[in-house]
């Protein structure tokens, strides 16, 4: 979906396909047929933006076989779909029964991460619509914190410099400008937008910036305006933003709130949980750990890294951090010029919701995704952006 900003620029809105994980190119093509095109039809659109997640094997197949890349581009056009952004965070296995910590491997100290991200950039340059010259890729925020030391930090920073050089060369070769954004996430080396300032200003390359995920922003209790102002002051580009909402518990000391939270403690994904105290941010790696005894102070609200549907906040006594998303979006695209032109709805946890909230079948999932995109569209038009055909 495309929108005209009051300054005349185009803002793109997509939804991320990591909600229908596939490891192979054939699986990606099936996603387009079984999920993406039905969402487009529900929205009554001739064209729908999708943020493709391409696992290692799918990306390799596309970057090594020009005919396969052309075939994917043809299939996107045939189904009324377009791609301006990729989710390059998960490397493989995102559809596994247990993902948890494995999503952070390989990290940016490992050569595989650089090679995979380079492949994604090259693929994206071939997938961009004819009238679009700028693409974006979101990626791992360096590494999970416990696997990082000065030696690995040096390797990661060197890899990002090499990536920026490769993206410069790709632009010269193809005329397509691809940028990559580190996606701050709780528990990682770059947990907050503030954590991104030092490594990114050290790299000093416009090709590498930040992907602001509004669920992660909220989970870390970051104020959107403060965070985005700091990035702007440091001249760190907001490459893209993922529109998502976290799980919020206002009164975690109450037994009924603990019971409601426990329904979201599931075995597939990691749900980092945080609370803000006078002494600073306190947290656990997973929601189940937070619910154990006195793991976290419970005198203030808790937030958990669980991407809940934008249009359907959990029932009381829980809610979502949709207000944080709205505040961030106002700062991102509500000013005289957009801070980013690539927005991506990223609720990948539909099948991890408590059983009674999960979609039953493809049709209900498509309806849910369409409802999320409708909400995002309405937020954008309320900010003065005009939806384009």
């Amino acid at each position: 979906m495309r929108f005209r900003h009051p300054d005349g620029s185009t803002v793109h809105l997509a939804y991320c396909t990591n909600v229908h994980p596939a490891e192979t190119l054939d699986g990606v093509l099936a996603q387009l047929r079984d999920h993406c095109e039905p969402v487009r039809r529900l929205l009554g659109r001739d064209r729908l933006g999708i943020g493709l997640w391409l696992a290692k094997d799918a990306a390799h197949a596309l970057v090594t076989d020009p005919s396969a890349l052309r075939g994917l581009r043809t299939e996107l056009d045939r189904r009324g779909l377009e791609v301006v952004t990729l989710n390059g965070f998960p490397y493989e296995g995102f559809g596994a029964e247990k993902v948890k910590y494995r999503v952070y491997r390989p990290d940016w100290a490992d050569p595989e991460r650089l090679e995979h991200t380079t492949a994604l950039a090259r693929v994206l340059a071939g997938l961009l619509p004819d009238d679009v010259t700028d693409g974006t890729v979101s990626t791992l925020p360096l590494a999970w914190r416990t696997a990082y030391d000065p030696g690995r930090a040096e390797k990661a920073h060197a890899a990002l410099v090499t990536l920026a050089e490769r993206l410069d060369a790709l632009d010269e070769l193809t005329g397509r400008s691809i940028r990559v954004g580190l996606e701050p996430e709780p528990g990682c080396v770059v947990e907050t937008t503030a954590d991104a300032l030092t490594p990114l200003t050290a790299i000093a390359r416009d090709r590498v910036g930040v992907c602001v995920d509004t669920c992660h922003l909220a989970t870390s209790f970051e104020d959107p305006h403060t965070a985005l102002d700091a990035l702007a002051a440091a001249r760190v580009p907001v490459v893209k933003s993922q529109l998502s909402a976290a799980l919020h518990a206002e009164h975690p000391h109450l037994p009924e709130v603990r019971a409601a939270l426990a329904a979201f403690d599931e075995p597939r994904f990691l749900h980092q949980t945080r609370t803000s105290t006078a002494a600073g941010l306190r947290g656990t790696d997973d929601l189940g750990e937070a619910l154990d005894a006195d793991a976290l102070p419970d005198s203030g609200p808790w937030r958990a890294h669980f991407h809940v549907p934008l249009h359907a906040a959990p029932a009381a006594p829980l809610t979502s951090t949709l207000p944080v998303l709205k505040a961030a979006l106002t700062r991102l695209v509500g000013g005289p010029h957009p801070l980013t032109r690539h927005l991506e709805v990223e609720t990948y946890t539909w099948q991890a919701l408590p059983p009674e909230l999960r979609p039953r079948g493809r049709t209900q999932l498509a309806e849910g995704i369409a409802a999320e995109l409708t909400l995002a569209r309405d937020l954008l038009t309320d900010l003065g952006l005009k939806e384009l055909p």
Side-chain angles (χ1 to χ4, degrees):
M1 300 168 77
R2 299 187 184 192
F3 297 81
R4 182 73 68 208
H5 189 275
D7 75 347
S9 62
T10 300
V11 173
H12 295 264
L13 172 66
Y15 91 87
C16 187
T17 63
N18 61 355
V19 64
H20 337 284
E23 300 291 317
T24 65
L25 179 55
D26 285 343
V28 171
L29 294 172
Q31 287 175 353
L32 306 185
R33 178 193 67 227
D34 297 338
H35 300 288
C36 303
E37 187 176 11
V39 171
R40 177 184 65 77
R41 293 185 182 280
L42 282 170
L43 290 166
R45 303 286 306 173
D46 292 333
R47 174 174 54 189
L48 176 67
I50 57 172
L52 272 181
W53 173 61
L54 297 173
K56 175 195 67 171
D57 289 345
H60 179 76
L62 290 165
V63 81
T64 57
D65 184 353
S67 65
L69 184 58
R70 289 193 298 270
L72 176 57
R73 173 67 187 276
T74 298
E75 190 69 2
L76 288 165
D77 292 341
R78 187 168 78 87
R79 299 194 181 279
L81 306 169
E82 66 177 13
V83 175
V84 302
T85 190
L86 300 179
N87 186 332
F89 195 137
Y91 181 70
E92 61 182 346
F94 202 61
E97 290 185 7
K98 186 175 182 180
V99 178
K100 297 291 184 180
Y101 293 95
R102 68 182 289 181
V103 75
Y104 307 105
R105 298 191 301 267
D107 64 34
W108 272 100
D110 296 319
E112 293 91 342
R113 178 61 65 171
L114 172 61
E115 297 310 314
H116 177 60
T117 309
T118 301
L120 291 177
R122 291 171 176 163
V123 167
L124 181 56
L127 293 181
L128 289 177
D130 292 339
D131 61 345
V132 175
T133 58
D134 297 329
T136 57
V137 181
S138 49
T139 189
L140 177 77
L142 296 183
W144 184 256
R145 69 185 187 283
T146 56
Y148 214 58
D149 57 33
R152 293 187 70 78
E154 185 177 352
K155 291 179 180 178
H157 291 182
L160 289 175
V161 170
T162 300
L163 174 69
E165 293 169 348
R166 291 178 178 180
L167 296 177
D168 284 341
L170 183 64
D171 192 353
E172 292 181 10
L173 180 66
T174 67
R176 303 296 178 92
S177 174
I178 309 298
R179 296 187 299 164
V180 172
L182 303 183
E183 183 184 329
E185 176 167 316
C188 293
V189 173
V190 177
E191 174 157 341
T192 66
T193 55
D195 294 334
L197 298 180
T198 299
L200 290 179
T201 52
I203 294 168
R205 301 294 180 106
D206 289 339
R207 297 288 183 189
V208 184
V210 167
C211 168
V212 175
D213 184 302
T214 58
C215 170
H216 303 172
L217 192 80
T219 301
S220 294
F221 286 85
E222 288 196 81
D223 175 72
H225 294 282
T226 302
L228 294 169
D229 285 349
L231 291 174
R235 297 190 175 183
V236 172
V238 180
V239 167
K240 65 185 276 191
S241 180
Q242 289 172 326
L243 306 182
S244 53
L247 190 63
H248 180 95
E250 186 68 19
H251 302 292
H253 65 285
L254 296 176
E256 60 268 29
V257 176
R258 295 288 187 112
L261 283 170
F264 287 83
D265 178 27
E266 55 83 36
R268 185 173 175 188
F269 298 112
L270 206 61
H271 302 296
Q272 303 93 310
T273 303
R274 298 289 185 267
T275 186
S276 183
T277 72
L281 206 63
R282 292 279 303 278
T284 61
D285 283 357
D286 213 345
L287 179 56
E289 298 171 29
L291 293 169
D292 285 344
D294 300 321
L296 275 187
D298 59 9
S299 57
W302 288 3
R303 289 176 178 173
H305 172 218
F306 195 118
H307 290 220
V308 295
L310 302 187
H311 68 293
L318 303 178
T319 186
S320 80
T321 60
L322 185 62
V324 177
L325 184 159
K326 292 179 177 179
L329 195 59
T330 298
R331 182 71 179 86
L332 286 166
V333 300
H337 303 287
L339 299 183
T340 185
R341 292 184 288 111
H342 290 180
L343 305 172
E344 179 183 61
V345 171
E346 197 216 10
T347 305
Y348 59 83
T349 44
W350 280 95
Q351 299 301 340
L353 290 167
E356 67 276 11
L357 301 178
R358 293 174 195 166
R360 293 185 293 276
R362 293 176 185 171
T363 299
Q364 284 194 2
L365 177 58
E367 290 170 348
I369 293 169
E372 289 193 291
L373 287 167
T374 298
L375 183 147
R377 178 197 64 195
D378 292 346
L379 292 177
L380 291 173
T381 56
D382 287 347
L383 290 171
L385 283 72
K386 181 181 178 181
E387 187 176 7
L388 298 175

